[in-house]
Amino acid sequence: KVRISMLPNWYGIEGIKFEWRGAWSDPLLHYRGRTFYNWDIEDALRENYVEDGGNIDNDHEWRSYVVDNAVDYLDNLIFEMWGE
């Protein structure tokens, strides 16, 4: 049986919930009634972070970047995919 754990606030960001479904399943993000694969969103944000000159070895800077940009990224993604 897969144990599902809904953890609060991905990276501490209000409104983005993190769902852990065990080691054999990709974690999910829930935002504005939509569900996303965590790794897809992290990979896209990391690519943007590096393109913006971010240092991949600086975890504090990376976390700040995610907090500052994740909501806008997801809002834009929702608009592009579903027109909302």
Side-chain angles (χ1 to χ4, degrees):
K1 181 177 180 182
V2 174
R3 182 178 175 159
I4 298 174
S5 297
M6 185 66 74
L7 304 171
N9 302 336
W10 183 66
Y11 282 92
I13 303 167
E14 187 68 35
I16 303 177
K17 301 299 181 196
F18 182 81
E19 180 181 344
W20 174 254
R21 302 178 64 147
W24 297 104
S25 181
D26 287 341
L28 301 173
L29 302 179
H30 300 275
Y31 177 70
R32 288 185 43 201
R34 303 289 181 183
T35 302
F36 305 91
Y37 286 108
N38 174 70
W39 303 126
D40 291 343
I41 302 305
E42 278 212 25
D43 288 349
L45 284 170
R46 188 169 303 276
E47 184 176 308
N48 291 345
Y49 171 69
V50 170
E51 287 176 4
D52 290 344
N55 177 355
I56 60 172
D57 294 322
N58 187 329
D59 188 61
H60 177 73
E61 186 180 279
W62 159 246
R63 288 179 171 277
S64 294
Y65 185 87
V66 171
V67 169
D68 292 343
N69 292 281
V71 168
D72 286 341
Y73 179 81
L74 289 172
D75 283 339
N76 288 336
L77 186 60
I78 289 169
F79 180 77
E80 289 172 12
M81 294 181 73
W82 296 287
E84 296 176 8

